[in-house]
Amino acid sequence: MNAMRLGVVTIGQTPRVDLAPELEDLLPGIELVERGVLDGCSQEEIASFAPTDGDHALTTRLADGGSAIIGEASVMRRLPRILIALEEEVDAILLACTGPFPAMPLSKPFFVPDRIIAHAVAATAPHGATVGIIAPLPEQEADTLQKFRTVVGVDVSVIVSAASPYTDTEERLREAARELASGGARLIAMDCFGYTAAMRAAVAAETGLPVVVARSVAARLAAETLGVPVTGSGVA
């Protein structure tokens, strides 16, 4: 019997050596098929995808280990055809980004971390608590607040601090975590697919708080949907 195949679509470039090994650990027995919105793009092309006025800013990893800040509008000009083509090759697709993307006309399971992580926080946040969100970029803070406030409801407060998984140091990540803890957070969510299990461990160690990470929450839902055991050492 052939292994189930999960398409993993990053808005950056593949291979995602910072991501695929953790997903393989969280999804034992699943074959990953990677695609990148920026695959094959030159540096000049990538620079032209920068956010414009009113656009959502997104950050992602490039194949050379660097990163780029691009606009959602540019991604949406390329993403649908990538998804439609990939759907012919796989059993389900995971979008490796927590950006606010619209619904896509796909017939197979499509995991959208933007909605998954927000609802995971809503389901776990204590009544009347404050939740802290770590987002990659300062310019994403307003969008992040709106996303989580819309889902968690009026009984939960939301605060945000920024630390990029691609360009900031671990100390900056720990500083962002301390800011959230000092602000009264009782739960922290890391709202980018670039945050790793090691980064999650640093935030948890710094604050002593429960921490949820977008990539592991989405991967565990994919594992459940695809009917495979979750035996990896990723984030609980």
Side-chain angles (χ1 to χ4, degrees):
M1 184 175 177
N2 293 331
M4 297 284 281
R5 307 183 87 211
L6 176 66
V8 179
V9 179
T10 173
I11 63 167
Q13 293 177 327
T14 61
R16 283 293 298 267
V17 297
D18 65 315
L19 171 62
E22 283 192 19
L23 290 182
E24 289 168 351
D25 188 41
L26 289 162
L27 293 157
I30 296 294
E31 180 183 350
L32 303 183
V33 182
E34 293 186 85
R35 295 288 187 274
V37 170
L38 301 183
D39 284 351
C41 291
S42 67
Q43 290 293 334
E44 291 74 18
E45 288 176 294
I46 294 171
S48 74
F49 298 154
T52 56
D53 289 344
D55 200 358
H56 293 289
L58 305 170
T59 185
T60 190
R61 192 181 192 276
L62 304 179
D64 63 4
S67 65
I69 297 175
I70 57 179
E72 181 189 351
S74 295
V75 173
M76 286 305 303
R77 288 195 289 270
R78 303 169 63 89
L79 179 62
R81 61 180 174 80
I82 293 172
L83 294 174
I84 291 169
L86 181 59
E87 189 178 28
E88 299 298 317
E89 303 179 38
V90 299
D91 299 290
I93 297 176
L94 170 62
L95 181 61
C97 179
T98 61
F101 294 99
M104 301 287 177
L106 301 177
S107 60
K108 294 178 180 176
F110 181 44
F111 303 101
V112 184
D114 174 59
R115 295 190 283 275
I116 294 170
I117 186 66
H119 284 279
V121 169
T124 55
H127 178 77
T130 296
V131 297
I133 313 297
I134 300 180
L137 305 172
E139 54 264 44
Q140 293 174 322
E141 291 187 15
D143 287 340
T144 302
L145 279 171
Q146 180 179 5
K147 174 172 77 174
F148 283 91
R149 283 174 175 167
T150 299
V151 175
V152 300
V154 296
D155 294 329
V156 175
S157 299
V158 181
I159 56 177
V160 179
S161 189
S164 172
Y166 306 122
T167 59
D168 281 324
T169 63
E170 180 181 317
E171 179 50 39
R172 172 54 206 154
L173 180 65
R174 287 176 175 268
E175 182 181 6
R178 291 194 298 270
E179 290 170 1
L180 296 175
S182 297
R186 293 175 57 190
L187 171 75
I188 292 178
M190 303 179 72
D191 188 35
C192 177
F193 230 74
Y195 295 123
T196 66
M199 294 174 187
R200 185 264 180 203
V203 170
E206 189 66 34
T207 63
L209 295 172
V211 181
V212 293
V213 185
R215 70 166 58 174
S216 57
V217 172
R220 291 184 187 282
L221 179 58
E224 181 78 11
T225 304
L226 296 174
V228 297
V230 181
T231 59
S233 59
V235 179

